[in-house]
Amino acid sequence: MTYLSSNQLKQYEDDGFISPINIFSKEKAKEIRNEIELIENKMPEELEKSGRYNAHLISPLLDEVTHNSKILDAVESLIGENILVCGTTLFIKNPNEKGFVSYHQDAKYIGLEPHNWVTAWVAITDSNENNGCMRMWSGSHKDNLKEHDQKFNEGNLLTRGQTVKNVPHEETTPLVLNAGQMSLHHPTIVHGSGINKSDDRRIGFVIQSYIGTNVKQVLGKNSVQLARGKDSFNFHEKIGRPNSLIDKNDLKLKKKENDNLQEIFYKGSNKKGSY
Ligand SMILES: O=C(O)CCC(=O)C(=O)O
């Protein structure tokens, strides 16, 4: 099944991303935002810092997004019919905070090889130039992996402040999305985002990433969910889907997964420097 037109497939090949893609209504997006904020209110630390990873394991609505058939149809057109969910991240930028994401390539630090995977960025709120939407360096996915500085800079939402130098910011494309739309991006495209200058939150729920069953984790270990098709490679441990909202056992599983992820994200880190 495909949810993408031939123009969109060409956009992915030429530019390294596809945007925007309609997935669900604004009303559904609001319902999801409410569930995220309910978790934040009940358990203030649960979605902060490294807690922002794998919220789909404790939120039935984020789980529903992760396994949404329109998203999976689109993903299938890019990586094939056997699809695993490797993890998710909530990228939240609150107004009056200095959160930004430096220009980087996901494939540089995620450890997923070969690059038969794709990242889906789902807008839970509108995302635009004023509130710090993602910006893509079109065509940069065709180059080799670039050197990244590790800046550990304040406000940077990346664990090590991984930064590609000399990105022509003026030439990058802003991915403007309405709540309920998504973009898809290639593992090697250079991308980043600026700070939120609006007076509301910018919330992106990112499936990072959907991987083909032939993809290995070469920097550590992380578990996966089967999203579609079958897995005849069995490279990864499989985990289930949430029992209910912030279930006790699901919270433990999320913690375990996120501890493993920290290992991967800090691998190769030599404090400040390049890699
Ligand atoms: O949400 C953002 O601003 C950046 C997200 C990102 O870098 C990603 O999804 O790979």
Side-chain angles (χ1 to χ4, degrees), residues 91 93 100-102 104 106 109 119-121 132-134 157-158 185 191-194 202 204 206 208:
F91 277 98
K93 291 180 185 171
F100 72 99
V101 174
S102 51
H104 66 283
D106 297 336
Y109 65 94
T119 299
W121 198 102
C133 66
M134 275 203 297
L157 300 179
L158 297 183
H185 67 262
H191 62 287
S193 66
R202 191 223 65 170
V206 187
Q208 195 172 43

Side-chain angles (χ1 to χ4, degrees), residues 3 21-30 32 61 64-65 68 70-71 122-124 178-182 205:
Y3 189 59
I21 304 171
N22 295 330
I23 302 299
F24 44 75
S25 65
K26 264 190 178 337
E27 291 70 31
K28 185 75 193 179
K30 181 73 176 78
I32 298 167
L61 285 182
E64 198 182 302
V65 177
N68 178 293
K70 285 183 187 167
I71 300 182
V122 183
I124 306 302
N178 294 326
Q181 294 184 316
M182 74 161 177
F205 175 62

Side-chain angles (χ1 to χ4, degrees), residues 55 132 169 265:
H169 178 76
F265 285 170

